Amino acid sequence: MYQPTQPVLFSWIREDEYPGGDYTFLHSNGSYVRIEDWKKRYKDTKKKLAIPFRFSVRDRTFFGHITDKCLVSRITEYLQDYYGKRYTNCSALAHFLTTGTFIECCEEQNLVVLTQGMVQYQGESIRVGDMVCVIYANDRFWRSRKGGLHRKNYLRVKKKRRGTHEFTHALQPKKKILSAKEIQEICASNIAADYHFLVCVAKDSAGPVWLAQGGRYAPGEEPSPLVFTVGNNDGYDNVVPLLALLKRRR
């Protein structure tokens, strides 16, 4: 009897469109592997499990495999047990992939699932399993006089962001290390508009390959896709990073 053994992931990011994604499962009976509902099958080689992926970012398409044993196991478990069945978002996915503990996102924490502190990310080398949090600026606040002396810096960052799409162009915080509570407070404050958590799941010649969930996904609602990006691209060019934070894999 064929049983789902591993997912195959797809995603796409196009100009002026919300990122999209989809997945299916490879099924195996111990001897052969096939994609559900496909008649074609091939011999199960019993090699190390890996998750194939294909994604496009604007005019470029990338192919590869997630081969890290821990991430393969957690991604498979997340899709089978939590995605579409529990309240999840980008932080719930990232927390599960980096800790192995699933926590539903809740309103009390502004939907931010985070139990570890993070440091300012300045474009240093990324390893598989590292997590990045990008907190986006409240444009109305930072363009107003309330932004104070930081207004010029914000407009400078906004210009750089428009030119490169990179989330490393962010304002420089006074503190290099922020606790989980401090990050949650910033996400809930009027200086921030939104946030996004990404986990490096593979490497490509173009840079780290990031996996993230596009938004909140509640049972019974329209799916919020899992989306890949590469390098320092987060898929949300139209908003300006306030902070870019990094948590190294332990």
Side-chain angles (χ1 to χ4, degrees), residues 2-19:
Y2 282 91
Q3 296 291 334
T5 58
Q6 69 185 74
V8 182
L9 301 173
F10 314 90
S11 78
W12 52 90
I13 297 174
R14 304 184 182 106
E15 293 288 352
D16 302 320
E17 291 184 18
Y18 192 80

Side-chain angles (χ1 to χ4, degrees), residues 67-86:
T67 58
D68 183 271
K69 183 177 179 180
C70 180
L71 289 174
V72 168
S73 174
R74 289 176 181 175
I75 291 170
T76 303
E77 181 181 347
Y78 184 81
L79 290 173
Q80 290 179 330
D81 298 343
Y82 307 118
Y83 185 66
K85 301 177 180 69
R86 306 282 291 275

